[in-house]
Amino acid sequence: MRWQPLADLLALVELGAPSSCAGCGEPALRWCPRCASVLAATAARPWSPTPRPAGMPPVWVGPPYADQTRSAVVAWKDGGRADLTPVLAGYLRPVLATALTDSPEHLAAARAPGGCPLVPAPSSRAGTRARGEHRVAALARAAASGSRPSLPVVDALRLGRPVADQAGLDATGRAANLAGAIRVRATKVAALQGRPCIVVDDVVTTGATLAECARALRDAGSGPVIAVTLAATQRRQRAGRPAAAGAEGASTEGRRTDPDQPYPRRGGDD
């Protein structure tokens, strides 16, 4: 991890005496009870976008990516609030538990010797350098810490080629942009052979990243793949048309953070 004197000093001060709640801005609280109750109010659930990308694995998610959830994720990922990792991990754990309950094959793997691998969605080198760590991998480790059954974190995925900025691309464009871009690290292939895997990401938007992660794992010889995310983006409902599957209401278009992006753009999104 690269030493960044000013940024790291500010992070230590924020950790010891948070300036405000990451969800609503209430002073002197890292994470206030009201925001905690909002995120806890949404039960983990299966989720699917419309259209659904080819090869997208079954996905389970937490709350909608809006309001306090969105504010917290942006602060955690790009606002220097690494102290929120254990907080957000607490909301990812029930998503993992629900996914395992609904997927007997993965639950059986988790109970077997070696456990069921949690595989974080990849981060670019630039994104990892800017944040000082692979933030999604840190979230996965925190969520799996002390878990029973066993969920070892295997940081196996990487970007194998440059990809364009996904901002402004529709679902078809995002899928085409990422096609073939994600690969399994050669040193991790043996650890995944034939094993059911769970991809972990912070937020799902169109599902393009999760579909490409699953494709890379299957091509490397893994067993069945499912995915979990902390939150799911709300999709815009066009006037006079029914909401798409998985839609929750208001749009998050124009947000600073594009969560379905495995590399940093301006603002540092993965």
Side-chain angles (χ1 to χ4, degrees):
M1 185 180 296
R2 186 164 60 95
W3 168 243
Q4 299 173 296
L6 179 57
D8 291 343
L9 178 59
L10 291 174
L12 285 172
V13 172
E14 186 68 27
L15 181 63
S19 57
S20 63
C21 171
C24 66
E26 182 173 343
L29 289 172
R30 176 175 68 172
W31 188 237
C32 77
R34 184 170 66 88
C35 289
S37 66
V38 169
L39 265 69
T42 302
R45 65 205 192 278
W47 184 91
S48 180
T50 301
R52 183 182 180 89
M56 181 177 172
V59 180
W60 286 260
V61 304
Y65 182 68
D67 304 324
Q68 290 95 330
T69 304
R70 177 183 176 277
S71 296
V73 170
V74 170
W76 166 73
K77 200 165 188 182
D78 292 320
R81 293 294 301 271
D83 60 300
L84 294 172
T85 295
V87 172
L88 298 179
Y91 299 104
L92 184 60
R93 287 189 195 103
V95 181
L96 276 168
T98 300
L100 288 171
T101 298
D102 291 349
S103 180
E105 192 166 12
H106 289 80
L107 180 58
R111 289 172 171 168
C116 181
L118 298 186
V119 184
S123 176
S124 70
R125 292 180 181 178
T128 298
R129 284 196 302 269
R131 299 179 182 115
E133 64 177 355
H134 183 177
R135 193 70 34 105
V136 172
L139 178 68
R141 285 191 293 269
S145 179
S147 63
R148 296 292 183 271
S150 176
L151 298 169
V153 176
V154 181
D155 191 2
L157 298 175
R158 67 178 180 87
L159 285 172
R161 64 166 174 80
V163 291
D165 191 325
Q166 301 243 94
L169 296 179
D170 62 12
T172 300
R174 288 178 179 228
N177 183 43
L178 288 174
I182 296 176
R183 300 176 185 174
V184 173
R185 302 177 196 275
T187 56
K188 303 296 184 181
V189 171
L192 301 175
Q193 288 297 298
R195 298 176 67 185
C197 295
I198 304 175
V199 175
V200 179
D201 207 354
D202 52 353
V203 182
V204 59
T205 300
T206 66
T209 296
L210 297 180
E212 176 60 13
C213 288
R215 192 275 315 158
L217 290 170
R218 290 190 293 258
D219 285 357
S222 79
V225 180
I226 63 175
V228 297
T229 71
L230 177 65
T233 297
Q234 300 178 106
R235 307 306 300 278
R236 171 173 291 175
Q237 182 177 350
R238 294 182 182 178
R241 299 183 63 179
E248 303 287 348
S251 169
T252 55
E253 290 182 9
R255 62 188 176 274
R256 177 173 168 269
T257 291
D258 175 4
D260 199 21
Q261 180 124 319
Y263 61 96
R265 62 184 178 90
R266 294 183 70 88
D269 303 307
D270 277 354

